[in-house]
Amino acid sequence: MSKLTIAIIGATGYTGGELLRLLSDHPNAEVTQITSRSRMGEFAHAAHPNLRGTPGGNLQFIRPEDVQGLRRRFPVPAPRRSG
């Protein structure tokens, strides 16, 4: 079985970081692109120190519009602010 190639759109928050952590260890998934408007060019482990030394932690944030080569996208929604 070939690996599913994944991009995480909005990977800087808690949900995106957990998704990156979980998918980094998944045998049938490969996260190849992560996005952030506020951390473009930084490595994932800068936003998520728990990912330092992992394949996911070594990915660099890119702009969402620069994601390429994927059939499906699963954006991580921004958290809602409580009132």
Side-chain angles (χ1 to χ4, degrees):
M1 176 180 215
S2 63
K3 287 188 176 190
L4 180 63
T5 302
I6 299 168
I8 301 175
I9 312 299
T12 53
Y14 176 79
T15 303
E18 281 298 291
L19 188 57
L20 180 56
R21 181 184 65 80
L22 291 169
L23 290 173
S24 290
D25 291 333
H26 197 287
N28 297 324
E30 181 181 11
V31 179
T32 59
Q33 299 170 84
I34 56 174
T35 73
S36 171
R37 292 194 187 284
S38 62
R39 292 188 172 255
M40 239 177 18
E42 292 182 32
F43 289 98
H45 63 75
H48 307 291
N50 61 315
L51 296 177
R52 186 175 299 280
T54 68
N58 292 325
L59 291 172
Q60 266 186 302
F61 290 108
I62 62 173
R63 296 180 312 166
E65 53 270 21
D66 291 340
V67 171
Q68 297 179 4
L70 301 174
R71 290 183 291 176
R72 294 187 181 150
R73 295 181 186 189
F74 298 95
V76 178
R80 292 185 179 160
R81 293 184 180 177
S82 58

Coordinates of all heavy atoms in Angstrom, one line a residue:
M1 N 0.8 -1.2 0.0 CA 0.0 0.0 0.0 C 0.9 1.2 0.0 O 1.8 1.4 0.8 CB -0.9 0.0 1.2 CG -1.7 1.2 1.4 SD -2.7 1.0 2.9 CE -4.2 1.8 2.4
S2 N 0.6 2.2 -0.9 CA 1.4 3.4 -0.9 C 0.9 4.4 0.1 O -0.2 4.3 0.6 CB 1.3 4.0 -2.3 OG 0.0 4.4 -2.6
K3 N 1.8 5.2 0.6 CA 1.5 6.2 1.6 C 0.6 7.3 1.0 O 0.8 7.7 -0.1 CB 2.7 6.8 2.2 CG 3.5 5.8 3.1 CD 4.6 6.6 3.8 CE 5.3 5.6 4.7 NZ 6.2 6.4 5.6
L4 N -0.3 7.8 1.9 CA -1.1 8.9 1.5 C -0.3 10.2 1.8 O 0.2 10.4 2.9 CB -2.4 9.0 2.4 CG -3.4 10.1 2.2 CD1 -3.9 10.0 0.8 CD2 -4.5 10.0 3.2
T5 N -0.1 11.0 0.8 CA 0.6 12.3 0.9 C -0.3 13.4 1.5 O -1.3 13.6 0.9 CB 1.2 12.7 -0.4 OG1 2.0 11.6 -0.9 CG2 2.1 13.9 -0.3
I6 N 0.1 14.0 2.5 CA -0.7 15.0 3.2 C -0.1 16.3 3.4 O 1.1 16.4 3.7 CB -1.1 14.4 4.6 CG1 -1.8 13.1 4.5 CG2 -1.9 15.4 5.5 CD1 -1.9 12.3 5.7
A7 N -0.9 17.4 3.3 CA -0.5 18.7 3.7 C -1.5 19.2 4.8 O -2.7 18.9 4.7 CB -0.7 19.7 2.5
I8 N -0.9 19.8 5.8 CA -1.8 20.3 6.9 C -1.8 21.8 6.7 O -0.8 22.5 6.8 CB -1.2 19.9 8.3 CG1 -1.1 18.4 8.4 CG2 -2.1 20.5 9.4 CD1 -0.4 18.0 9.7
I9 N -3.0 22.3 6.4 CA -3.3 23.7 6.2 C -3.6 24.3 7.6 O -4.6 24.0 8.1 CB -4.4 23.9 5.2 CG1 -4.3 23.1 4.0 CG2 -4.6 25.4 4.9 CD1 -3.1 23.3 3.1
G10 N -2.8 25.2 8.1 CA -3.0 25.8 9.4 C -2.4 24.9 10.5 O -3.1 24.4 11.4
A11 N -1.1 24.7 10.4 CA -0.4 23.7 11.3 C 0.2 24.3 12.5 O 1.0 23.6 13.2 CB 0.6 22.9 10.5
T12 N 0.0 25.6 12.8 CA 0.7 26.2 13.9 C 0.0 26.1 15.2 O 0.7 26.1 16.3 CB 0.9 27.7 13.7 OG1 -0.3 28.3 13.4 CG2 1.9 28.0 12.6
G13 N -1.3 25.9 15.3 CA -2.0 25.8 16.5 C -2.0 24.4 17.2 O -1.3 23.5 16.6
Y14 N -2.7 24.2 18.3 CA -2.7 23.0 19.0 C -3.2 21.8 18.1 O -2.5 20.8 18.0 CB -3.5 23.1 20.3 CG -3.6 21.7 21.0 CD1 -2.6 21.3 21.8 CD2 -4.8 21.0 20.8 CE1 -2.7 20.1 22.4 CE2 -4.9 19.7 21.5 CZ -3.8 19.3 22.3 OH -3.9 18.1 22.9
T15 N -4.3 22.0 17.4 CA -4.9 20.9 16.6 C -4.0 20.6 15.5 O -3.7 19.4 15.2 CB -6.3 21.4 16.1 OG1 -7.1 21.7 17.2 CG2 -6.9 20.3 15.3
G16 N -3.4 21.6 14.8 CA -2.5 21.3 13.7 C -1.2 20.5 14.2 O -0.8 19.6 13.5
G17 N -0.7 20.9 15.3 CA 0.5 20.3 15.9 C 0.2 18.8 16.3 O 1.0 18.0 16.0
E18 N -1.0 18.6 16.9 CA -1.3 17.2 17.2 C -1.6 16.4 16.0 O -1.1 15.2 15.9 CB -2.6 17.2 18.1 CG -2.3 17.5 19.5 CD -1.3 16.6 20.2 OE1 -1.7 15.4 20.4 OE2 -0.2 17.0 20.5
L19 N -2.2 16.9 15.0 CA -2.4 16.2 13.7 C -1.0 15.9 13.1 O -0.8 14.7 12.6 CB -3.2 17.1 12.8 CG -3.7 16.4 11.5 CD1 -4.5 15.2 11.7 CD2 -4.5 17.4 10.7
L20 N -0.1 16.8 13.1 CA 1.2 16.6 12.6 C 1.9 15.5 13.4 O 2.5 14.6 12.8 CB 2.0 17.9 12.6 CG 3.5 17.8 12.1 CD1 3.5 17.2 10.7 CD2 4.1 19.2 12.1
R21 N 1.8 15.5 14.7 CA 2.5 14.5 15.5 C 1.9 13.1 15.2 O 2.6 12.1 15.1 CB 2.2 14.8 17.0 CG 2.9 13.8 18.0 CD 2.6 14.2 19.4 NE 1.2 14.0 19.7 CZ 0.5 12.9 20.0 NH1 1.2 11.7 19.9 NH2 -0.7 12.8 20.3
L22 N 0.6 13.0 15.2 CA -0.1 11.7 15.0 C 0.2 11.2 13.6 O 0.5 10.0 13.4 CB -1.6 11.8 15.2 CG -2.0 12.1 16.6 CD1 -3.5 12.5 16.6 CD2 -1.8 10.9 17.5
L23 N 0.2 12.0 12.6 CA 0.4 11.5 11.2 C 1.9 11.2 10.9 O 2.2 10.4 10.1 CB -0.1 12.6 10.2 CG -1.7 12.7 10.1 CD1 -2.1 13.8 9.3 CD2 -2.3 11.4 9.7
S24 N 2.8 11.9 11.7 CA 4.2 11.6 11.5 C 4.6 10.2 11.9 O 5.5 9.6 11.3 CB 5.0 12.5 12.4 OG 5.0 13.8 11.8
D25 N 3.8 9.6 12.8 CA 4.0 8.2 13.2 C 3.2 7.2 12.4 O 3.3 6.0 12.7 CB 3.8 8.0 14.7 CG 4.8 8.8 15.5 OD1 6.0 8.9 15.0 OD2 4.5 9.2 16.6
H26 N 2.3 7.6 11.6 CA 1.4 6.7 10.9 C 2.1 6.0 9.7 O 2.7 6.6 8.9 CB 0.2 7.5 10.4 CG -1.0 6.6 10.0 ND1 -1.0 5.8 8.9 CD2 -2.2 6.4 10.6 CE1 -2.1 5.2 8.9 NE2 -2.9 5.5 9.9
P27 N 2.0 4.7 9.7 CA 2.7 3.9 8.6 C 2.2 4.2 7.2 O 2.9 3.9 6.3 CB 2.5 2.5 9.1 CG 1.2 2.5 9.9 CD 1.2 3.8 10.6
N28 N 0.9 4.6 7.1 CA 0.4 4.8 5.7 C 0.2 6.3 5.3 O -0.5 6.6 4.4 CB -1.0 4.1 5.6 CG -0.8 2.6 5.8 OD1 0.1 2.0 5.4 ND2 -1.8 2.0 6.5
A29 N 0.8 7.1 6.1 CA 0.7 8.6 5.8 C 2.1 9.2 5.8 O 3.0 8.8 6.5 CB -0.2 9.2 6.9
E30 N 2.2 10.3 5.0 CA 3.4 11.1 4.9 C 3.0 12.5 4.8 O 2.5 12.9 3.8 CB 4.3 10.7 3.7 CG 5.6 11.4 3.7 CD 6.4 11.1 2.5 OE1 6.0 10.3 1.6 OE2 7.6 11.5 2.5
V31 N 3.3 13.3 5.8 CA 3.0 14.7 5.8 C 4.2 15.4 5.0 O 5.3 15.2 5.4 CB 2.9 15.4 7.2 CG1 2.6 16.9 7.1 CG2 1.8 14.7 8.0
T32 N 3.9 16.0 3.9 CA 5.0 16.6 3.1 C 5.0 18.1 3.1 O 6.0 18.7 2.7 CB 4.8 16.1 1.7 OG1 3.6 16.5 1.1 CG2 5.0 14.6 1.6
Q33 N 3.8 18.7 3.5 CA 3.7 20.2 3.5 C 2.9 20.6 4.7 O 1.9 20.0 5.0 CB 3.1 20.6 2.2 CG 3.9 20.2 1.0 CD 3.1 20.5 -0.3 OE1 3.1 21.6 -0.8 NE2 2.4 19.5 -0.8
I34 N 3.3 21.7 5.3 CA 2.5 22.3 6.4 C 2.5 23.8 6.1 O 3.4 24.4 5.6 CB 3.2 22.1 7.8 CG1 4.6 22.5 7.8 CG2 3.1 20.6 8.1 CD1 5.3 22.4 9.2
T35 N 1.4 24.5 6.5 CA 1.2 25.9 6.2 C 1.0 26.7 7.4 O 0.5 26.3 8.4 CB 0.1 26.1 5.2 OG1 -1.2 26.0 5.9 CG2 0.2 25.2 4.0
S36 N 1.4 28.0 7.3 CA 1.2 29.0 8.3 C 1.4 30.4 7.6 O 2.5 30.5 7.0 CB 2.1 28.8 9.5 OG 2.0 29.9 10.3
R37 N 0.6 31.3 7.8 CA 0.9 32.7 7.4 C 1.8 33.4 8.3 O 2.6 34.2 7.9 CB -0.4 33.4 7.2 CG -1.3 32.9 6.1 CD -2.4 33.8 5.7 NE -3.3 33.2 4.7 CZ -3.0 33.0 3.5 NH1 -1.9 33.4 3.0 NH2 -3.9 32.5 2.7
S38 N 1.7 33.1 9.6 CA 2.5 33.8 10.6 C 3.9 33.3 10.8 O 4.7 33.9 11.4 CB 1.7 33.9 11.9 OG 1.5 32.6 12.4
R39 N 4.1 32.0 10.4 CA 5.4 31.4 10.7 C 6.1 30.9 9.4 O 6.9 30.0 9.5 CB 5.3 30.2 11.7 CG 4.9 30.7 13.1 CD 4.9 29.5 14.0 NE 4.8 30.0 15.4 CZ 5.8 30.0 16.3 NH1 7.0 29.7 15.9 NH2 5.5 30.4 17.5
M40 N 5.8 31.5 8.3 CA 6.4 31.1 7.0 C 7.9 31.0 7.1 O 8.5 31.9 7.6 CB 5.9 32.1 5.9 CG 5.2 31.4 4.8 SD 4.6 32.6 3.6 CE 5.6 34.1 3.8
G41 N 8.4 29.9 6.6 CA 9.9 29.8 6.6 C 10.5 29.1 7.9 O 11.6 28.6 7.8
E42 N 9.7 29.1 8.9 CA 10.2 28.5 10.2 C 10.0 27.0 10.1 O 9.1 26.5 9.4 CB 9.4 29.0 11.4 CG 9.7 30.5 11.7 CD 9.0 30.9 13.0 OE1 8.8 30.1 13.9 OE2 8.6 32.1 13.0
F43 N 10.7 26.2 10.9 CA 10.5 24.8 11.0 C 9.4 24.5 12.0 O 9.1 25.3 13.0 CB 11.8 24.1 11.5 CG 12.8 24.1 10.4 CD1 13.9 25.0 10.5 CD2 12.8 23.2 9.4 CE1 14.8 25.0 9.5 CE2 13.8 23.1 8.4 CZ 14.8 24.1 8.5
A44 N 8.7 23.4 11.8 CA 7.6 23.0 12.7 C 8.0 22.9 14.2 O 7.2 23.3 15.0 CB 7.0 21.7 12.2
H45 N 9.2 22.5 14.4 CA 9.6 22.4 15.8 C 9.7 23.7 16.5 O 9.7 23.8 17.8 CB 10.8 21.5 16.0 CG 12.1 22.1 15.4 ND1 12.8 23.1 15.9 CD2 12.7 21.7 14.2 CE1 13.8 23.4 15.1 NE2 13.8 22.6 14.1
A46 N 9.7 24.8 15.8 CA 9.8 26.1 16.4 C 8.4 26.4 17.1 O 8.3 27.0 18.1 CB 10.1 27.2 15.4
A47 N 7.3 26.0 16.4 CA 6.0 26.1 17.0 C 5.6 25.0 17.9 O 4.8 25.2 18.8 CB 5.0 26.2 15.8
H48 N 6.1 23.8 17.7 CA 5.8 22.6 18.4 C 7.1 22.0 18.9 O 7.6 21.0 18.2 CB 5.0 21.7 17.5 CG 3.8 22.3 16.9 ND1 2.7 22.7 17.6 CD2 3.6 22.6 15.6 CE1 1.8 23.2 16.8 NE2 2.3 23.2 15.6
P49 N 7.7 22.4 20.0 CA 8.9 21.9 20.5 C 8.9 20.3 20.7 O 10.0 19.7 20.6 CB 9.2 22.6 21.8 CG 8.4 23.8 21.7 CD 7.2 23.5 20.9
N50 N 7.8 19.8 21.0 CA 7.7 18.3 21.1 C 8.0 17.5 19.9 O 8.2 16.3 19.9 CB 6.3 17.9 21.7 CG 5.2 18.3 20.7 OD1 5.1 19.4 20.2 ND2 4.3 17.4 20.5
L51 N 8.0 18.2 18.7 CA 8.3 17.6 17.4 C 9.8 17.7 17.0 O 10.2 17.2 16.0 CB 7.4 18.2 16.3 CG 5.9 17.9 16.5 CD1 5.2 18.6 15.4 CD2 5.6 16.5 16.5
R52 N 10.6 18.3 17.9 CA 12.0 18.4 17.6 C 12.6 17.0 17.4 O 12.4 16.1 18.2 CB 12.8 19.2 18.7 CG 14.2 19.4 18.3 CD 14.9 20.3 19.4 NE 14.3 21.6 19.6 CZ 14.5 22.6 18.8 NH1 15.3 22.5 17.7 NH2 13.9 23.8 19.0
G53 N 13.4 16.8 16.3 CA 14.0 15.5 16.1 C 13.1 14.5 15.4 O 13.5 13.4 15.1
T54 N 11.9 14.9 15.0 CA 11.0 14.0 14.3 C 10.9 14.5 12.8 O 11.2 15.6 12.5 CB 9.6 14.0 14.9 OG1 9.0 15.3 14.6 CG2 9.6 13.7 16.4
P55 N 10.5 13.6 11.9 CA 10.4 14.0 10.5 C 9.4 15.2 10.4 O 9.7 16.2 9.6 CB 9.8 12.8 9.8 CG 10.3 11.6 10.6 CD 10.3 12.2 12.1
G56 N 8.3 15.2 11.1 CA 7.3 16.3 11.1 C 7.9 17.6 11.6 O 7.6 18.7 11.1
G57 N 8.8 17.5 12.6 CA 9.4 18.7 13.2 C 10.4 19.4 12.2 O 10.7 20.6 12.4
N58 N 10.8 18.7 11.2 CA 11.8 19.2 10.3 C 11.2 19.8 9.0 O 11.9 20.3 8.1 CB 12.8 18.2 9.9 CG 13.7 17.8 11.1 OD1 14.1 18.7 11.9 ND2 14.1 16.6 11.2
L59 N 9.8 19.8 9.0 CA 9.2 20.5 7.8 C 9.1 22.0 8.0 O 9.0 22.4 9.2 CB 7.7 19.9 7.7 CG 7.5 18.5 7.3 CD1 6.1 18.1 7.4 CD2 8.0 18.3 5.9
Q60 N 9.2 22.7 7.0 CA 9.1 24.2 7.0 C 7.7 24.6 6.6 O 7.1 24.1 5.7 CB 10.1 24.8 6.0 CG 11.4 25.1 6.7 CD 12.3 25.9 5.7 OE1 12.6 25.4 4.6 NE2 12.7 27.0 6.1
F61 N 7.2 25.6 7.4 CA 5.9 26.2 7.0 C 6.0 27.0 5.7 O 7.0 27.7 5.5 CB 5.5 27.2 8.1 CG 5.2 26.5 9.4 CD1 6.0 26.6 10.5 CD2 4.0 25.8 9.6 CE1 5.7 26.0 11.7 CE2 3.6 25.2 10.8 CZ 4.5 25.3 11.8
I62 N 5.0 26.8 4.9 CA 4.8 27.5 3.6 C 3.5 28.2 3.6 O 2.6 28.0 4.5 CB 5.0 26.6 2.4 CG1 3.9 25.5 2.4 CG2 6.3 26.0 2.4 CD1 3.8 24.7 1.2
R63 N 3.2 29.1 2.7 CA 1.9 29.7 2.5 C 0.9 28.7 2.0 O 1.2 27.8 1.2 CB 2.0 30.9 1.6 CG 2.9 32.0 2.0 CD 2.9 33.1 1.0 NE 3.1 32.6 -0.4 CZ 3.0 33.3 -1.5 NH1 2.6 34.6 -1.4 NH2 3.2 32.8 -2.7
P64 N -0.4 28.8 2.5 CA -1.4 27.8 2.0 C -1.5 27.8 0.5 O -1.7 26.7 -0.1 CB -2.7 28.4 2.7 CG -2.2 29.1 3.9 CD -0.9 29.7 3.5
E65 N -1.4 28.9 -0.1 CA -1.5 29.0 -1.6 C -0.4 28.3 -2.3 O -0.4 28.1 -3.5 CB -1.8 30.4 -2.1 CG -0.8 31.4 -1.7 CD -1.1 32.1 -0.4 OE1 -1.9 31.6 0.4 OE2 -0.6 33.2 -0.2
D66 N 0.7 28.0 -1.6 CA 1.9 27.4 -2.2 C 1.8 25.8 -2.2 O 2.7 25.2 -2.7 CB 3.2 27.9 -1.6 CG 3.4 29.3 -1.9 OD1 2.9 29.8 -2.9 OD2 4.2 30.0 -1.2
V67 N 0.8 25.3 -1.5 CA 0.7 23.8 -1.5 C 0.5 23.3 -2.9 O -0.3 23.8 -3.6 CB -0.5 23.4 -0.5 CG1 -0.8 21.9 -0.6 CG2 -0.2 23.8 0.9
Q68 N 1.2 22.2 -3.2 CA 1.2 21.6 -4.6 C 1.1 20.1 -4.5 O 1.6 19.5 -3.6 CB 2.4 22.1 -5.4 CG 2.5 23.5 -5.6 CD 3.7 23.9 -6.4 OE1 4.5 23.0 -6.8 NE2 3.9 25.2 -6.5
G69 N 0.6 19.6 -5.6 CA 0.7 18.1 -5.8 C -0.2 17.2 -5.0 O 0.1 16.1 -4.8
L70 N -1.3 17.8 -4.5 CA -2.2 17.0 -3.6 C -3.6 16.9 -4.3 O -4.0 17.8 -4.9 CB -2.3 17.6 -2.2 CG -1.0 17.7 -1.5 CD1 -1.3 18.5 -0.2 CD2 -0.4 16.3 -1.2
R71 N -4.2 15.7 -4.0 CA -5.6 15.6 -4.5 C -6.6 16.1 -3.6 O -7.7 16.6 -4.0 CB -5.8 14.1 -4.8 CG -5.1 13.5 -6.0 CD -5.4 12.1 -6.2 NE -4.9 11.3 -5.1 CZ -5.1 10.0 -5.0 NH1 -5.8 9.4 -5.9 NH2 -4.6 9.4 -4.0
R72 N -6.3 16.0 -2.3 CA -7.3 16.5 -1.3 C -6.6 17.4 -0.2 O -5.4 17.1 0.1 CB -8.0 15.3 -0.6 CG -8.8 14.5 -1.5 CD -9.6 13.5 -0.7 NE -10.4 12.7 -1.6 CZ -10.7 11.4 -1.4 NH1 -10.3 10.8 -0.3 NH2 -11.4 10.8 -2.3
R73 N -7.4 18.3 0.3 CA -6.8 19.1 1.4 C -7.8 19.1 2.6 O -9.0 19.1 2.4 CB -6.7 20.6 0.9 CG -5.7 20.7 -0.2 CD -5.6 22.1 -0.6 NE -4.7 22.2 -1.8 CZ -4.2 23.3 -2.3 NH1 -4.6 24.5 -1.8 NH2 -3.4 23.3 -3.3
F74 N -7.2 19.0 3.7 CA -8.0 19.0 5.0 C -7.5 20.2 5.9 O -6.6 20.0 6.7 CB -7.7 17.7 5.7 CG -8.2 16.5 4.9 CD1 -7.3 15.8 4.2 CD2 -9.5 16.1 5.0 CE1 -7.8 14.7 3.4 CE2 -10.0 15.0 4.2 CZ -9.1 14.3 3.5
P75 N -8.1 21.3 5.7 CA -7.7 22.5 6.5 C -8.1 22.3 8.0 O -9.1 21.7 8.3 CB -8.5 23.6 5.9 CG -9.6 23.0 5.1 CD -9.2 21.6 4.8
V76 N -7.2 22.8 8.8 CA -7.5 22.8 10.3 C -8.2 24.1 10.6 O -7.6 25.2 10.4 CB -6.2 22.6 11.1 CG1 -6.5 22.7 12.6 CG2 -5.5 21.3 10.7
P77 N -9.4 24.1 11.1 CA -10.1 25.4 11.3 C -9.4 26.2 12.4 O -8.9 25.6 13.4 CB -11.5 25.0 11.6 CG -11.4 23.6 12.0 CD -10.2 23.0 11.4
A78 N -9.5 27.5 12.3 CA -9.0 28.3 13.4 C -9.9 28.2 14.6 O -11.1 28.0 14.5 CB -9.0 29.8 12.9
P79 N -9.3 28.3 15.8 CA -10.2 28.1 17.0 C -11.1 29.3 17.1 O -10.8 30.4 16.7 CB -9.1 28.1 18.1 CG -7.9 28.7 17.6 CD -7.9 28.5 16.1
R80 N -12.2 29.0 17.7 CA -13.2 30.1 18.0 C -12.8 30.8 19.3 O -12.4 30.1 20.2 CB -14.6 29.5 18.1 CG -15.1 29.0 16.8 CD -16.6 28.6 16.9 NE -17.0 28.1 15.7 CZ -18.1 27.3 15.5 NH1 -18.7 26.9 16.6 NH2 -18.5 26.9 14.4
R81 N -13.0 32.1 19.3 CA -12.8 32.8 20.6 C -14.0 32.8 21.4 O -15.1 33.0 20.9 CB -12.4 34.2 20.2 CG -11.0 34.3 19.5 CD -10.6 35.7 19.3 NE -9.3 35.7 18.7 CZ -8.7 36.8 18.3 NH1 -9.2 37.9 18.5 NH2 -7.5 36.7 17.7
S82 N -13.9 32.5 22.7 CA -15.0 32.6 23.6 C -15.3 34.0 24.0 O -14.4 34.9 24.0 CB -14.8 31.7 24.8 OG -13.6 32.2 25.5
G83 N -16.6 34.3 24.2 CA -17.0 35.7 24.3 C -17.0 36.2 25.7 O -17.0 37.3 26.0

